[in-house]
Amino acid sequence: MDSTFPRARKPKLGYNTAQVESFLQVARRAYDGTARPDDEPLTSDRIRLTAFAMQKGGYSTTHVDQALERLEDAFAAQERQVAARLHGGEAWLTEARATAQVVSNRLARPEGHRFDRVAPLVRGYSTRDVDRFADKLTRYFSDGWPISIDDVRGVVFKTQRGGYREAQVDLLLDAVVDVMLAVR
């Protein structure tokens, strides 16, 4: 039996194959403009936030995640084209600049104070790791320092007690991805 993606070896967990296949069918229809009335609307943001249940011998998480990134890129390009036709290319870039300014303002905060902290006994992202990556992002926004969208999507932070609130850091990284996709 053919499968869309390689599978995780049997004792290992992978993504639920039925959920992945169902999602890909909806995505294909949405991209082709043949969405069904009962299909949930699909955007690049929604693709980025998609999650699947795990199952033994499911689809390889690495391969599916890479496909989702390519799919997100394709939807973002399509969204950019539609927005440019409807509102002009400058409106799209103006929105991206505004988001970039919000991100830059957050990154300009002093080290150790860029994001809210979790309680002292709760684990959050390592402030040192996040601040180090935030410095790279600051150089990207202020000086055009080279950093790829894959670097942002794939960054992993250690955890520490009393660290930065993960949800807040993740939202900022999503905003950075949005800006990078907008200016491609």
Side-chain angles (χ1 to χ4, degrees):
M1 181 172 140
D2 290 335
S3 58
T4 307
F5 298 101
R7 292 181 176 258
R9 296 181 189 248
K10 234 356 170 192
K12 302 272 185 191
L13 292 175
Y15 289 137
N16 180 290
T17 57
Q19 289 177 0
V20 171
E21 291 295 338
S22 176
F23 178 81
L24 291 177
Q25 288 175 358
V26 171
R28 199 170 291 118
R29 289 191 301 263
Y31 191 78
D32 292 343
T34 59
R36 296 178 182 162
D38 59 331
D39 285 346
E40 194 170 326
L42 197 56
T43 64
S44 59
D45 289 338
R46 175 137 190 297
I47 292 168
R48 185 178 320 129
L49 299 175
T50 296
F52 303 108
M54 304 297 279
Q55 73 178 56
K56 287 184 181 178
Y59 283 146
S60 160
T61 57
T62 301
H63 289 88
V64 173
D65 288 345
Q66 289 171 348
L68 289 177
E69 289 171 3
R70 290 189 301 273
L71 193 59
E72 178 187 359
D73 291 347
F75 270 76
Q78 191 178 55
E79 291 162 8
R80 185 174 50 245
Q81 289 173 348
V82 169
R85 276 196 309 267
L86 293 175
H87 310 291
E90 190 57 37
W92 181 264
L93 289 175
T94 299
E95 184 176 334
R97 278 190 217 106
T99 303
Q101 187 60 56
V102 169
V103 168
S104 294
N105 292 345
R106 170 68 66 165
L107 297 175
R109 293 179 179 184
E111 287 187 14
H113 301 283
R114 288 182 170 137
F115 300 93
D116 292 341
R117 299 275 193 115
V118 294
L121 297 179
V122 176
R123 296 192 78 74
Y125 285 146
S126 162
T127 56
R128 184 181 311 168
D129 285 359
V130 173
D131 284 340
R132 193 174 298 138
F133 194 72
D135 290 340
K136 290 179 182 180
L137 292 174
T138 298
R139 289 192 300 270
Y140 167 78
F141 283 108
S142 64
D143 305 328
W145 187 268
I147 189 167
S148 75
I149 198 166
D150 292 333
D151 293 335
V152 178
R153 285 176 171 154
V155 68
V156 176
F157 304 115
K158 294 178 191 163
T159 61
Q160 73 177 57
R161 292 188 192 281
Y164 283 140
R165 187 170 307 283
E166 293 178 10
Q168 200 175 37
V169 174
D170 292 344
L171 283 172
L172 180 109
L173 294 176
D174 284 345
V176 171
V177 169
D178 286 341
V179 170
M180 293 174 107
L181 287 172
V183 298
R184 268 190 167 176

